[in-house]
Structure formats: structure tokens, C-alpha cells
Amino acid sequence: MLAANEIQSSLSGAWRLMMGKADGLRLLDLSADGFWNSFFAMIVALPALLVSWTSFAADLYPGADLYGERIALIPRIAVIDFCAWVLPLVGLAIAAKPIGIRPRFVHYVVASNWASAIVAWMMMPPAMLRLIFPAAGDAASLVSVALLLLSLVFTWRLTNATLNRGPGPATAVFAGMLMASLVVIYALQTALGVTPPLEAPV
């Protein structure tokens, strides 16, 4: 369990990196313990993720009589999200030496983990809006798209500042991690049946 000041420092460091400021690394614990502790960001992100999972399940099963189906879907959505968080990092660990970023791999993982927690909280408001005010679904979707695009810009900035190899390599790593996450999400959604029902009741 990390102390509150350690969590605050890590989130502050990740946020500065998301703003493109490389000095954010000074606020991160880049030791071996700091590497593993950075996965505590999943716990920090959990409340926001739970709202998003619940909203997504409600979108897939919008009928008032489908409460049980929505509840049963949430654990599968959680598995997908956490696999999409971790598996691309495993792939990057394998590729780090061949693509020349091994000296910065720990930096990237620590920064990326804490940044993912920030992004999860960024994406929570529109998900909550859809849950509380279903009629505002279209507006919430627009906000979600805008925040998603903004988070991609922030993530690229973090990647560039963390790797310190220039925009080219940063863009390659950013694109590779994004594609890996999308592949994991698509594959697991198909495998776990997290898809819209053929005839979702209204």
C-alpha cells in the first residue's frame, strides 16, 4: 500500500510528463520497487473504471429488465481493460532492447501506469453522465470522443518526454502501444462475448 504523498507525487509527475515536461520524471520512483509499485495505479483508477464499466454495460444492455445481464458483464469488461493495460507493456518489455529503448523502459512503464490512472479519471464524467442522465447520451458521447482525443495527445507527449529519443521513436512506440491495446481489446471482447446483443431491448 503506497502512502498518499507517494501517490500524489507519482500522479503529479505523470501529469507533468503528459504536459510534455520531462522534469516530471524527478517526481517518479524509478527504482525496482517503484516499477512494481506503479501498478498500484490500477487501484487508484478503479473507482473511475468501475463507473466506465457500468456505463458501458448499460449501453450494451439498455433495457430496464436487464440489470442482471449488466452486472454479469462488468467482470468481463474489467478483465479486458486490465489485460489491455498490462499485455502491451509485456510486449514492449520483449521489444525494448531490439528497438533501442531498454534504458528508458522502466521510466516509460512507471510514467505510463500513473498516466493511465489520470486518463481513467478524465474519462469518468461522460460515463457518469450517461448513467445518471441516459437522455444525454449523445452529448456524453461527444465529450467522450473529445476527451479520448485529448488523452491521446497527452499520452504522446508523455511518451516523447519519457523516452527522450525524439518525436520519431516516440511516435512509433505510441502507435505500437495503441495498436496493441486495440488488438487486445478487440480479441478479448470477441472471446468473452462483450458485444452488443443482436436484439437489445429498448
Side-chain angles (χ1 to χ4, degrees), residues 42-68:
M42 293 179 176
I43 305 301
V44 175
L46 189 57
L49 289 173
L50 185 57
V51 172
S52 296
W53 299 336
T54 305
S55 176
F56 183 54
D59 287 343
L60 289 182
Y61 291 95
D65 58 337
L66 294 176
Y67 180 79

Side-chain angles (χ1 to χ4, degrees), residues 30-51:
L30 301 176
S31 66
D33 286 341
F35 174 85
W36 295 112
N37 287 342
S38 71
F39 288 94
F40 187 79
M42 293 179 176
I43 305 301
V44 175
L46 189 57
L49 289 173
L50 185 57
V51 172

Side-chain angles (χ1 to χ4, degrees), residues 68-142:
E69 285 82 352
R70 291 198 292 268
I71 294 298
L73 195 61
I74 290 174
R76 284 180 278 165
I77 299 173
V79 168
I80 292 167
D81 263 10
F82 284 128
C83 285
W85 185 323
V86 173
L87 292 183
L89 294 177
V90 174
L92 187 63
I94 297 170
K97 186 175 181 179
I99 65 178
I101 64 165
R102 187 173 181 180
R104 287 278 177 161
F105 173 72
V106 170
H107 302 60
Y108 176 82
V109 172
V110 173
S112 176
N113 279 339
W114 290 110
S116 293
I118 294 173
V119 170
W121 282 96
M122 280 178 56
M123 300 300 297
M124 186 187 71
M128 183 171 287
L129 182 62
R130 283 196 298 270
L131 280 176
I132 299 174
F133 302 107
D138 290 342
S141 295
L142 288 175

